[in-house]
Amino acid sequence: MDDARSRLLIHGASGRMGRSLLSLVAEHPGLHLVAAVANAPRADLGALAVLRPAHIGQAPAFDVVIDFSAPAAIPALAQACAARGAALVSGTTGLDASALAALDQAALQVPVLWAANFSLGVALLAALARQAAAAVPDWDCEIIETHHRRKQDAPSGTALRLGEAIAAGREQDLAAVARHGREGAHAVRVAGEIGFHAVRGGDVVGDHQILLAGEAEVIELTHRAASREVFARGALKAAAWLAGRAPGRYVIEDVLGLRPR
C-alpha cells in the first residue's frame, strides 16, 4: 500500500451512495479503502472488512470515514471517529439535535465536514449565487429545483442551501424572506423575497436553477447532476482533503477554497 494514501472506511455501504463510493474509490489516488460498514452482507467486496454498524469498533485502523447512512447512526459514528482520531465526512441528511450535537462534539477532537450536497459544481454555484445576489440586491430571485418522483422533502436541501447563499449575499434572514410556491388570486411578488419552487418527476437526479430578474434582463445560473457519481466523487475528494487536518467543523466550500470571508 502507498503510505501517502489515507485509509478510508465507508459507513453506509449498502445504500445507493455507498455503492457508488465503492465503485469509484479505486480511482482516487489519495485514498485506500480498508473497511465498509453495511446493514446487509456484501459478498462482492472480497477480502475487505465488512462490518455491521454495531461493530465499527472492530474495524481496522482508518484515517477518515465517509458516511451516507441514517441520522440515528450519527452519534455512535461521531464518537467512534473521535476515539480513533479519524476525520469524518458525512452526507447523511435529516439530522436531529442529538446528531448535530454529536458532530459538534466530535469536531473538538477531529476534523468534521458535513454537507447536504457533495457536488463540487453546486458548491461553486452557491458561491456564484452569493456574489451575484450581492451585486444586484434589488433584482427578483427565484429558485427552481427538479428531482425524481420518489424524493420526499421539498424544497431540496440544496435549494435551501442556495437560498441561504443568496440571503447571505444580501444580508437577509432567509426564514423572513422565503416564499414557497405561488397560487391563487394574491400571488403578486413581494419585493426582496426569495421564491422556491419544487418539481418532481421521472428519475431526475437533481437540477437546480436560480433566476435573477431585473428590468428587461434576466440572469440564469443552473446546475444539473446527470449521475449520483458527482456526489460520490465530491465526497471522495473531500475525504482526501480532510484527512489529517486540524479538529473543527468544515464545509464543502473549504475543499475548493470558496468559504466566504
Side-chain angles (χ1 to χ4, degrees):
M1 185 187 85
D2 181 356
D3 290 337
R5 294 184 294 173
S6 297
R7 296 165 295 183
L8 171 67
L9 181 148
I10 294 176
H11 187 263
S14 53
R16 287 184 298 180
M17 280 301 302
R19 294 193 298 270
S20 185
L21 288 164
L22 290 169
S23 69
L24 294 171
V25 65
E27 299 177 9
H28 202 290
L31 297 170
H32 171 68
L33 182 63
V34 296
V37 174
N39 289 320
R42 293 297 306 268
D44 59 321
L45 297 182
L48 182 72
V50 182
L51 309 164
R52 296 299 178 91
H55 300 150
I56 190 172
Q58 301 173 16
F62 53 90
D63 302 306
V64 60
V65 173
I66 298 179
D67 161 67
F68 285 89
S69 58
I74 295 298
L77 174 61
Q79 185 176 19
C81 287
R84 293 289 191 103
L88 172 58
V89 171
S90 178
T92 297
T93 57
L95 303 187
D96 58 16
S98 64
L100 293 171
L103 293 180
D104 287 337
Q105 186 65 32
L108 298 176
Q109 298 175 259
V110 296
V112 174
L113 190 160
W114 178 89
N117 187 315
F118 275 91
S119 162
L120 302 181
V122 165
L124 179 57
L125 178 64
L128 292 172
R130 180 180 178 129
Q131 183 179 6
V136 286
D138 57 333
W139 287 25
D140 297 333
C141 179
E142 301 284 303
I143 300 171
I144 305 99
E145 53 99 345
T146 304
H147 284 84
H148 55 85
R149 63 172 69 92
R150 296 176 302 280
K151 185 170 179 59
Q152 297 184 22
D153 57 315
S156 69
T158 299
L160 291 172
R161 176 183 172 192
L162 295 173
E164 291 283 3
I166 292 163
R170 294 180 169 179
E171 299 182 346
Q172 295 174 306
D173 175 9
L174 181 60
V177 297
R179 180 167 180 175
H180 300 279
R182 290 184 179 81
E183 66 176 341
H186 302 285
V188 175
R189 197 177 204 287
V190 176
E193 69 184 12
I194 298 174
F196 290 87
H197 309 277
V199 180
R200 298 289 178 265
D203 60 354
V204 179
V205 174
D207 292 355
H208 292 85
Q209 180 183 22
I210 299 169
L211 296 180
L212 291 167
E215 297 299 326
E217 56 184 331
V218 175
I219 295 173
E220 298 182 16
L221 300 173
T222 301
H223 177 271
R224 293 188 175 90
S227 165
R228 285 185 176 80
E229 285 189 1
V230 301
F231 310 125
R233 293 184 190 280
L236 291 167
K237 183 178 179 70
W241 180 88
L242 191 67
R245 294 194 177 268
R249 290 295 297 265
Y250 295 83
V251 294
I252 190 66
E253 286 81 2
D254 291 323
V255 180
L256 296 177
L258 294 173
R259 184 195 279 264
R261 295 183 182 279

